[in-house]
């Protein structure tokens, strides 16, 4: 397995709180269903992940999910992740086909953030969350950020700030940033940086993504 790179800012002065990356590095990837802890200043509410009923599978089982406000059912093996269930199985398994391929599978091991979704009010890596665990919880993907055809303020600011390039990491940045702003409209730069700490952009737009978050925060505050 590839050696994990050192966490950005690890040598800088101690930052308060606990980021998604801190969490992953602490617990490792031994357990599936890694749910990110509430981020300081962007604290997500809700209970911890439900443990799937014992004795399910290994054959496919019907999983009922609520995605972006829509109830859908998909038949998958209990070992299938939420990311794969939505990207690869939902269209085939649903009576009312939904195409949700916005969340990306890049590392598939809980380190890049391309698959970030909001599940039960918490930011999670959907590549390390089982679909079956997400039952009974509201799931929001990048497709759910727009409202009636109008892009979320953060999406608009990403465009304005030129914060997106390859398209693989952008959905994760958008979901993590939007989750932070929805929870804490007064999010500081440090809060926003921490919210994006679990997302990686390899081509250098990380600073522009942060700038877009800050501009969206100001815009959203002005609306309230
Ligand atoms: S694909 Fe899930 S964290 Fe990278
Ligand atoms: S925009 Fe995707 S890696 Fe930078």
């Amino acid at each position: 397995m590839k050696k994990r790179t050192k966490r950005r800012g690890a040598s800088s002065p101690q930052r308060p709180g606990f980021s998604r990356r801190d969490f992953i590095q602490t617990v490792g990837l031994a357990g599936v269903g890694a749910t990110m802890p509430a981020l300081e200043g962007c604290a997500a509410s809700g209970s911890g992940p439900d443990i799937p009923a014992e004795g399910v599978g290994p054959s496919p089982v019907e999983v009922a999910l609520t995605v972006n406000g829509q109830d859908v059912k998909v038949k998958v093996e209990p070992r299938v992740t939420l990311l794969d269930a939505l990207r690869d199985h939902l269209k085939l398994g649903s009576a009312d086909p939904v195409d949700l391929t916005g969340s990306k599978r890049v590392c598939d091991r809980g380190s890049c953030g391309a698959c970030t979704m909001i599940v039960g009010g918490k930011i999670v890596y959907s590549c390390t969350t089982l679909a079956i665990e997400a039952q009974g919880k509201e799931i929001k993907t990048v497709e759910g950020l727009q409202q009636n055809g109008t892009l979320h303020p953060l999406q608009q600011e990403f465009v304005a700030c030129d914060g997106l390039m390859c398209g693989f990491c952008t959905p994760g940045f958008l979901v993590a940033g939007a989750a932070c702003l929805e929870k804490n409209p007064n999010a500081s730069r440090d809060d926003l940086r921490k919210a994006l700490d679990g997302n990686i952009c390899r081509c250098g737009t990380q600073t522009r993504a942060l700038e877009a978050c800050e501009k969206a925060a100001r815009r959203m505050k002005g609306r309230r």
Side-chain angles (χ1 to χ4, degrees), residues 163-170 173 200-206:
L164 57 157
M165 286 180 87
C166 76
F168 280 93
C169 63
T170 305
F173 272 101
I200 295 171
C201 165
R202 296 165 183 83
C203 62
T205 61
Q206 200 108 13

Side-chain angles (χ1 to χ4, degrees), residues 34-36 82 115-119 122-126 129:
T35 303
M36 306 314 140
L82 179 59
C115 64
T116 302
M117 295 181 193
I118 304 170
V119 178
K122 293 183 178 178
I123 306 172
V124 304
Y125 290 141
S126 62
T129 302

